[in-house]
Amino acid sequence: MLSEVERLRQRVQQLETELAIKDRRMAKLAPARRPHYSAPDRLQILLLQAATGWSLEETARRFLVTAHTLASWRHKLDDLGEAALVRLAQPVNRFPDQVRQLVRDLKQLYPSMGRQRIADTLARTGLVLAASTVRRMVLETPGEPGEGPATGPESTPSQPDVDTDGSTAAPTPAKPKSVTARYTHHVWHCDLTLVPTAAGLWVPWFPFAAWLGWPFAYWVVGVVDQFSRAPIKLKAFKKHPSGREVRRFLRSSIRVAGRGPRHLITDQGVQFRAEYRAWCQRLDIKPRWGAVGSHRSIAVVERLWRSLKAECCKPILVPLKLSAFQAELDIYATWFRHHRPHRALGGRTPEECTAERPPSVPRLEPRPKVPIRGDPDPVRHVYSVELRVSAFAGKKHLPIVELQAA
């Protein structure tokens, strides 16, 4: 009997060590992120507490729950019996697991997509998700418990894509410098940027690192409409374009748009000096210049450069042939106008903003218990949704996202 007692004592110590290791690992998680106890386990915990005489704090410490949780279990057991205790409440507005997997697949296919753009892209296909819900779905580990309410404000405000007015703030109220577009082709933004080729600007040694031109880089000139955020035209140059080449590019952009802008906002580069001012005066265009060293003045076109480099240039090797790269720019501009939702436009594409029409896609609701209020025609319940992504003009980095309801 003494040997049996010693064996059991050693076994108890082993089990205590094993439980301590598991408890330390689980204690690193916040209480809201820990796995839920099953329905029978909740009842067993309360029965064990009653049999041992543990207090709420002692029981909460041993099972890594809060005392408030244990108290709520006790109240349910006293008021409504065992059936109320073991029944787990299922949130009505919790999205099914297939929607979570759909969001993760889209993020894995296109890592450059942020949470707001994923939400806007899915909303255009009929599946309405909040940006905060998309963020939680992306950060969740597959298999862990689901999130809370799907609709709700985020903990931190999201940063807008661009400035509201697209220009510098006025130093004094008497003479404002800002201008806000009131209709399409009212205000244009023009700027230049540098795009590395396949040879790239990553070459660290001199003089290649200082060679800002072909074959190591292209100069790209672009014009963006402030009202619709649509790129009017993009053009690549092998070397730094002169003022005459930029003015020729602007004239061709006016021919493409069918009309010229009322205001044209640029930086204070060498291409936009006295001859540019006279050119604008002949075409009845009011030129405006941004502050030196400030990107807020031309924030609209600066945001386009960021999207262009992340969505068009980064996924591919920029070709060394000028005509091939120009074709890539034309395809990207067309895709941007027709298929890319923009946050400043409320999730619409520039083409939809120009035509002043919202997407005509009925809303899909995969949550069966969510009630549909109002007119049921625009919204319909579905059991499952299937993600279909096609490539625009054969370019895999330019997606056209569609959902098929089952």
Side-chain angles (χ1 to χ4, degrees), residues 182-200:
R182 298 190 298 270
Y183 51 85
T184 307
H185 303 309
H186 180 207
V187 180
W188 283 6
H189 291 246
C190 181
D191 191 30
L192 291 78
T193 190
L194 203 64
V195 176
T197 64

Side-chain angles (χ1 to χ4, degrees), residues 143-388:
E144 67 181 13
E147 61 197 4
T151 57
E154 301 181 56
S155 57
T156 56
S158 58
Q159 296 295 330
D161 289 340
V162 294
D163 295 331
T164 304
D165 55 1
S167 60
T168 55
T172 57
K175 189 178 180 181
K177 296 182 179 180
S178 61
V179 57
T180 302
R182 298 190 298 270
Y183 51 85
T184 307
H185 303 309
H186 180 207
V187 180
W188 283 6
H189 291 246
C190 181
D191 191 30
L192 291 78
T193 190
L194 203 64
V195 176
T197 64
L201 294 175
W202 50 265
V203 181
W205 52 82
F206 185 82
F208 305 108
W211 185 271
L212 302 182
W214 190 85
F216 301 106
Y218 286 111
W219 283 93
V220 179
V221 186
V223 173
V224 183
D225 177 46
Q226 186 188 97
F227 183 80
S228 64
R229 301 303 197 269
I232 305 299
K233 189 175 181 181
L234 301 174
K235 186 174 178 59
F237 294 88
K238 286 188 175 182
K239 60 180 182 179
H240 194 262
S242 62
R244 176 177 297 180
E245 291 174 327
V246 171
R247 292 193 298 272
R248 189 181 300 117
F249 163 77
L250 290 173
R251 188 176 294 274
S252 64
S253 300
I254 294 176
R255 289 196 298 268
V256 170
R259 55 171 299 179
R262 182 61 178 167
H263 302 271
L264 183 56
I265 302 176
T266 64
D267 58 12
Q268 299 188 24
V270 295
Q271 295 86 0
F272 309 105
R273 296 294 174 84
E275 295 180 356
Y276 166 77
R277 189 192 301 268
W279 178 85
C280 291
Q281 185 176 5
R282 290 195 303 268
L283 297 180
D284 195 21
I285 298 175
K286 293 183 178 180
R288 290 176 175 268
W289 293 270
V292 177
S294 174
H295 295 284
R296 292 176 57 87
S297 307
I298 51 174
V300 175
V301 68
E302 290 288 352
R303 186 61 179 85
L304 175 65
W305 294 147
R306 175 183 170 184
S307 301
L308 171 71
K309 295 176 182 179
E311 299 168 354
C312 178
C313 301
K314 188 176 180 180
I316 64 173
L317 290 176
V318 177
L320 293 177
K321 191 175 182 180
L322 179 61
S323 59
F325 181 57
Q326 184 62 50
E328 293 284 348
L329 293 179
D330 295 339
I331 292 174
Y332 176 77
T334 305
W335 172 80
F336 192 99
R337 288 192 294 266
H338 292 273
H339 299 286
R340 189 189 186 281
H342 205 289
R343 182 85 296 258
L345 306 178
R348 295 181 297 173
T349 62
E351 186 66 22
E352 292 169 349
C353 180
T354 303
E356 297 183 355
R357 56 178 176 85
S360 59
V361 179
R363 176 178 171 180
L364 306 177
E365 183 52 72
R367 298 168 292 181
K369 295 183 180 181
V370 172
I372 298 178
R373 300 177 181 177
D375 188 7
D377 292 335
V379 185
R380 62 190 182 100
H381 279 297
V382 296
Y383 292 102
S384 63
V385 289
E386 180 182 356
L387 178 66
R388 291 192 173 183

Side-chain angles (χ1 to χ4, degrees), residues 80-91:
L80 303 176
E82 295 182 7
L85 177 66
V86 301
R87 184 174 63 248
L88 294 176
Q90 179 69 22

